[in-house]
Amino acid sequence: MYRYQHFLLKDEALYIAGPECFYTYGYDALGAMKARAQALGFGVTLPNNDPLDLENEDLQKRADSIFGNLEKVMMETTAVIADLEAYRGAEPDSGTIYELGMAYAKGAKCYGYTRDKRSFGTKNLRSYIKNNKVCDELGNNEMYQKLPFAPTIIGSTKIVEGDFDDCLKMFICDKEEEVKAFARNSRSIINEVSSTQQTKDEPLVYISGVGRYKENAKKEFEELKQVCSQYGLKAVAPTDWVDSVKEIKTDNPYVWAANIFNNYQQHVRECDIIIADLNEYRGYEINNDVGFECGMGFQLKKKLYGYMQNASPLIERIPHLGEKNEYRDHTGCNVENFNYPANLMFSCSMDIVQGGFEDVVKKVASEYLRG
């Protein structure tokens, strides 16, 4: 560490995001990462720094306490470093991606680290070939399979192949370049913070679904939009392009990902309500694009709703070794035991309906028609 770095970083509040809290000895790892960041001059925010209500007999109240503390510390956060390692499937922990969405929405700098930047077509064991194209278990198209992460992560986050310490080093380098650029009257980082305001007579629903990369995605989302229309709700989908973003035709998967991410994030800014498909995807986790959009939407004060075919408590759905073994799964990670159907980030921030898309639309319509 160097003294000038402490001066450069004195206003940075770093949030450490990842599923480490579920790992065996994970809190020791978090403590080590926090100490390392502080030694370099970072301020560090964590959702478990403040006293939490973890002795409450109501398990859901325990989760609410954790999420409430997260909401508080996220307001202080200027940057996030996220663990993007695969978690209970081929994608990163969905709660971590929710936090990335929150950070991006408030204009925080987003960094992530991983040891595996192979494409989904390689690391997703459920990939297959159809009509000479590599697809995943939902039939999602080949372009998505060429990426190492979901487009929302690619578009929002600087991804380092390495570990937490490698991210810290890159952050410091970027910070040095940022202040030099400022001295040249040229800002190198643009943070989009505010939510787009639109004049409209009715609430706009954004359908955050996992089928967005299927070959027939537009047709499927048009059918979902029709369901919304039948209940008096105007809806848009990831397959719709906002006026301010032009679709780029390209064979480069990173250009493609950044382009569609720009479209997605603008949809989140312009909508009033997000309806999210929280069903399991590529394992036991929620789709990362959906998770990011939910986190971003929450931070921008959008109303969130989710739906799942099976909304039984998470502890009942993920195989584990029981209470004596701290509810650890086959990977050695804890399974959340808060009597909620999904990761607490989702469960504490939205109403979750058991059933299909129309079931949640009925709930949204009834609440807004009453209002």
Side-chain angles (χ1 to χ4, degrees):
M1 58 181 159
Y2 307 100
R3 282 177 290 178
Y4 77 86
Q5 291 178 347
H6 281 256
F7 180 78
L8 283 175
L9 302 173
K10 64 183 177 67
D11 296 324
E12 298 290 353
L14 180 66
Y15 182 84
I16 302 174
E20 277 72 17
C21 59
F22 303 125
Y23 294 172
T24 306
Y25 310 119
Y27 282 99
D28 293 338
L30 282 173
M33 287 190 281
K34 179 180 179 181
R36 175 59 176 157
Q38 289 176 325
L40 292 173
F42 289 93
V44 178
T45 60
L46 288 172
N48 56 356
N49 279 353
D50 294 341
L52 302 173
D53 185 15
L54 297 183
E55 300 301 322
N56 198 306
E57 293 183 1
D58 186 335
L59 297 178
Q60 294 186 355
K61 294 295 184 184
R62 299 183 189 184
D64 295 343
S65 172
I66 297 172
F67 186 78
N69 189 235
L70 165 65
E71 186 178 0
K72 173 189 171 184
V73 300
M74 188 59 73
M75 296 306 298
E76 305 166 3
T77 297
T78 63
V80 60
I81 293 183
D83 180 348
L84 299 181
E85 295 290 77
Y87 183 74
R88 289 181 180 145
E91 292 197 324
D93 167 48
S94 54
T96 298
I97 307 310
Y98 186 108
E99 292 170 330
L100 266 182
M102 293 177 70
Y104 175 82
K106 73 179 296 290
K109 306 175 186 73
C110 297
Y111 289 78
Y113 61 92
T114 179
R115 294 168 297 174
D116 191 355
K117 291 187 77 172
R118 294 178 301 161
S119 68
F120 277 133
T122 302
K123 62 187 178 184
N124 179 18
L125 297 179
R126 298 177 181 175
S127 296
Y128 64 95
I129 296 176
K130 180 180 179 181
N131 298 328
N132 292 322
K133 292 183 178 180
V134 180
C135 302
D136 70 4
E137 59 270 38
L138 294 184
N140 287 333
N141 68 25
E142 188 174 26
M143 189 71 84
Y144 188 95
Q145 294 295 93
K146 292 178 180 178
L147 293 169
F149 298 102
T152 48
I153 302 175
I154 297 291
S156 64
T157 305
K158 181 168 284 189
I159 302 170
V160 176
E161 190 168 18
D163 58 18
F164 179 77
D165 205 51
D166 293 317
C167 264
L168 292 177
K169 292 174 182 176
M170 177 169 283
F171 186 103
I172 292 170
C173 184
D174 287 346
K175 186 69 176 180
E176 293 168 353
E177 296 304 313
E178 180 185 340
V179 296
K180 288 192 296 184
F182 182 80
R184 293 192 296 264
N185 297 317
S186 173
R187 294 301 300 270
S188 60
I189 296 178
I190 300 174
N191 290 329
E192 300 178 10
V193 180
S194 61
S195 174
T196 303
Q197 300 297 319
Q198 286 194 328
T199 301
K200 47 185 179 287
D201 298 326
E202 56 186 343
L204 182 64
V205 174
Y206 175 60
I207 305 171
S208 182
V210 302
R212 63 186 72 190
Y213 307 117
K214 292 183 179 180
E215 291 186 4
N216 65 340
K218 194 167 186 63
K219 177 177 180 296
E220 287 193 8
F221 277 107
E222 286 299 324
E223 293 173 354
L224 298 182
K225 287 160 64 177
Q226 283 297 317
V227 173
C228 291
S229 179
Q230 292 169 12
Y231 288 90
L233 296 171
K234 182 179 180 181
V236 293
T239 49
D240 299 320
W241 286 85
V242 298
D243 293 338
S244 58
V245 179
K246 182 179 180 181
E247 183 178 7
I248 299 173
K249 300 296 184 182
T250 177
D251 293 328
N252 186 311
Y254 267 70
V255 173
W256 175 79
N259 182 216
I260 62 174
F261 166 69
N262 193 21
N263 189 55
Y264 297 161
Q265 65 88 24
Q266 192 61 37
H267 273 308
V268 174
R269 294 180 190 281
E270 294 183 359
C271 75
D272 302 286
I273 303 165
I274 295 176
I275 295 180
D277 181 351
L278 303 183
N279 287 296
E280 296 171 350
Y281 180 70
R282 288 180 171 162
Y284 292 109
E285 291 297 299
I286 294 164
N287 172 262
N288 280 176
D289 285 321
V290 173
F292 185 96
E293 290 167 349
C294 287
M296 186 180 175
F298 177 82
Q299 194 68 28
L300 294 175
K301 310 301 182 186
K302 311 300 182 180
K303 181 66 176 175
L304 307 180
Y305 293 84
Y307 65 98
M308 307 173 72
Q309 290 296 336
N310 183 356
S312 59
L314 201 63
I315 196 73
E316 296 178 8
R317 299 205 319 275
I318 298 180
H320 56 79
L321 298 173
E323 184 176 3
K324 290 183 179 180
N325 293 287
E326 301 176 314
Y327 301 108
R328 296 198 179 276
D329 66 7
H330 64 288
T331 68
C333 295
N334 293 116
V335 178
E336 285 188 28
N337 185 25
F338 294 127
N339 198 32
Y340 272 135
N343 180 290
L344 71 87
M345 306 298 175
F346 302 89
S347 298
C348 295
S349 62
M350 68 183 76
D351 293 327
I352 299 177
V353 175
Q354 177 165 294
F357 182 76
E358 187 168 0
D359 296 306
V360 71
V361 169
K362 289 179 182 178
K363 181 176 179 62
V364 174
S366 66
E367 292 189 359
Y368 274 82
L369 289 176
R370 284 203 313 267

